[in-house]
């Protein structure tokens, strides 16, 4: 989150923008990586509760949620740029477009990341629960 907020205060044309963008790339990749690592825990927990392997259903829901998130992000970006005065086809854009992009990349991203952290904090499968799931699956001697 600090990188996103820091991006708001960098002057245009500053070389530090590249360092901040690279840092944002690393942190943004976690938004894709963490849910995919969590899904295996969810599938195994569901398997212990229902005795059914629902891998395909979980992955389908995951891909649908990812597509929905991308769609909502594109809609928000389009609205933000429209409010910022973006002109389609123009070679130069007003300064307000740069400000709108900075707000989209800093404030909006920080708020959404914070909301994601709250959901992650409420994630019901702890390290202890994961150990219990793994032991239960080993006792059944079934693939997981």
């Amino acid at each position: 989150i600090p990188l996103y907020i820091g991006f708001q205060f960098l002057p245009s044309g500053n070389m530090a923008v590249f360092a901040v963008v690279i840092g944002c790339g690393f942190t943004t990749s976690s938004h894709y990586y963490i849910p995919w690592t969590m899904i295996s825990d969810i599938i195994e927990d569901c398997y212990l509760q229902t005795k059914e392997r629902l891998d395909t259903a979980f992955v389908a829901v995951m891909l649908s949620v990812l597509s929905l998130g991308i769609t909502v992000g594109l809609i928000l970006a389009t609205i933000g740029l429209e409010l910022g005065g973006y002109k389609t086809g123009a070679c130069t854009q007003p300064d307000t477009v740069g400000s709108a992009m900075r707000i989209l990349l800093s404030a909006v991203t920080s708020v959404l990341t914070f909301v994601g952290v709250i959901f992650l904090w409420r994630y019901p499968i702890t390290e202890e629960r994961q150990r219990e799931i793994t032991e239960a699956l080993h006792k059944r001697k079934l693939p997981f």
Side-chain angles (χ1 to χ4, degrees), residues 50-73:
T50 64
K51 313 275 189 288
E52 291 183 63
R53 295 294 298 197
L54 300 172
D55 302 31
T56 306
F58 279 106
V59 171
V61 168
M62 187 76 168
L63 290 172
S64 297
V65 169
L66 181 63
S67 297
L68 179 65
I70 290 170
T71 302
V72 169

Side-chain angles (χ1 to χ4, degrees), residues 10-29:
L10 288 175
S12 327
N14 190 339
M15 293 302 285
V17 170
F18 292 110
V20 171
V21 168
I22 290 170
C24 286
F26 283 120
T27 58
T28 303
S29 66

Side-chain angles (χ1 to χ4, degrees), residues 21-38:
V21 168
I22 290 170
C24 286
F26 283 120
T27 58
T28 303
S29 66
S30 67
H31 296 137
Y32 293 100
Y33 175 72
I34 291 173
W36 285 107
T37 58
M38 293 167 56

Side-chain angles (χ1 to χ4, degrees), residues 35-114:
W36 285 107
T37 58
M38 293 167 56
I39 198 166
S40 63
D41 299 337
I42 296 167
I43 290 170
E44 290 169 357
D45 189 38
C46 180
Y47 174 67
L48 285 177
Q49 293 176 15
T50 64
K51 313 275 189 288
E52 291 183 63
R53 295 294 298 197
L54 300 172
D55 302 31
T56 306
F58 279 106
V59 171
V61 168
M62 187 76 168
L63 290 172
S64 297
V65 169
L66 181 63
S67 297
L68 179 65
I70 290 170
T71 302
V72 169
L74 289 172
I75 290 169
L76 288 175
T78 302
I79 291 170
L81 289 175
E82 186 70 30
L83 292 174
Y86 181 78
K87 294 179 177 62
T88 306
C91 292
T92 58
Q93 298 293 334
D95 290 338
T96 55
V97 173
S99 297
M101 290 179 70
R102 285 176 183 258
I103 289 170
L104 284 171
L105 288 173
S106 61
V108 174
T109 306
S110 296
V111 168
L112 293 176
T113 300
F114 184 71

